[in-house]
Amino acid sequence: PLLFAGLYWILHAVGLDNTAAISHIPRILQGLFAAWSDYYSLRLASRYFSPEAAKWALAVHLCTWTSIYCLTRTLSNSLETALCTVALAYWPWSWCSQRDTYSLRLSLVLAALSCLVRPTAALLWLPLGLHLLWTNRSSSLVIITQSVLPVAMVSLTLSVLLDSMCYGKLVIVQWNFLQFNFLHDLGSVYGSNPWHWYFTEGLPSLLGTSLLPAAVGIYACTRERKLLAFVGLFVVLANSAVSHKEFRFLLPLP
């Protein structure tokens, strides 16, 4: 909402806050986020697999109905997806030759922003972070103290300050989100689904005709390239523990 409020303020300042502009500016901004996500989906697939495979990955991404329908909508999940995609494109995968501190910190900043937009994004970054520390055991302390902690502390501090300023009292939105959705499961007032819903309805509906090629691709790729598949499985299992389920909750999955 703060992004859209800033756009509305600019429109008001320049005298263009008419009905058409107010209605379309958020959609245009979200369309730019979607295009940003599309471009970095190509870059991610190129780094994670190969430039040739990236072309097919982009084609599948662009032809998926969830990308067409959801990414251009003004949902927090859409911005979360764009931030996660760009962050993954800069992530220091163990098999990539281009691995530097700048890319890691940039990826961590974008990952932190995605968690601020929707705290459930942490489900994606937790296993990836643990894998990074495990594969870099000799320098894990340096990674934590020089990259992870500074980014986490600055982003969380800014989030608490901004939210508290807006609410007029001390507010930790991430803790409230955890309490509401996971500890007390109050999201069930919006509807409940069985634990297997993401496996029996969610993923098949999201992937559609790409379900079989995706399964074959996961089976055929090398063991280290299966990392994102395991991360995706972890995210789905964690979300399955909550009774309220929606298609858009799986939107950030690679």
Side-chain angles (χ1 to χ4, degrees), residues 70-245:
C70 294
L71 286 182
T72 54
R73 298 182 66 194
T74 52
L75 301 169
S76 59
N77 307 84
S78 302
L79 179 57
E80 174 197 9
T81 300
L83 290 169
C84 286
T85 302
V86 180
L88 287 170
Y90 285 104
W91 189 255
W93 307 106
S94 59
W95 54 86
C96 291
S97 58
Q98 296 180 345
R99 301 167 63 198
D100 56 83
T101 304
Y102 170 77
S103 295
L104 172 61
R105 289 175 179 170
L106 178 58
S107 182
L108 289 173
V109 168
L110 294 166
L113 288 175
S114 70
C115 293
L116 296 183
V117 172
R118 275 189 63 82
T120 48
L123 296 173
L124 174 67
W125 298 109
L126 177 61
L128 282 176
L130 293 176
H131 178 267
L132 175 67
L133 295 177
W134 176 256
T135 54
N136 296 273
R137 292 185 292 277
S138 60
S139 57
S140 59
L141 185 61
V142 174
I143 294 175
I144 293 173
T145 56
Q146 295 186 8
S147 298
V148 177
L149 282 180
V151 172
M153 292 175 64
V154 170
S155 58
L156 185 59
T157 300
L158 290 177
S159 173
V160 172
L161 289 175
L162 183 60
D163 290 329
S164 300
M165 181 180 66
C166 293
Y167 281 98
K169 61 179 181 180
L170 179 62
V171 175
I172 303 177
V173 171
Q174 293 74 25
W175 172 244
N176 292 344
F177 186 95
L178 179 65
Q179 280 188 310
F180 186 92
N181 291 284
F182 288 91
L183 299 182
H184 302 308
D185 197 20
L186 296 178
S188 58
V189 299
Y190 302 108
S192 299
N193 303 92
W195 67 268
H196 55 77
W197 187 85
Y198 282 126
F199 294 97
T200 56
E201 295 188 46
L203 285 174
S205 298
L206 287 172
L207 293 174
T209 55
S210 302
L211 180 61
L212 182 59
V216 173
I218 292 173
Y219 176 79
C221 68
T222 60
R223 182 178 179 180
E224 61 181 6
R225 297 299 203 285
K226 287 183 171 66
L227 174 60
L228 278 182
F230 287 118
V231 171
L233 178 62
F234 174 79
V235 173
V236 174
L237 288 173
N239 278 285
S240 296
V242 181
S243 58
H244 179 61
K245 301 173 178 65

Side-chain angles (χ1 to χ4, degrees), residues 19-42:
T19 303
I22 291 174
S23 174
H24 289 91
I25 279 294
R27 302 179 188 180
I28 294 173
L29 178 63
Q30 197 61 55
L32 293 174
F33 285 143
W36 190 41
S37 177
D38 293 342
Y39 171 71
Y40 274 94
S41 294
L42 179 65

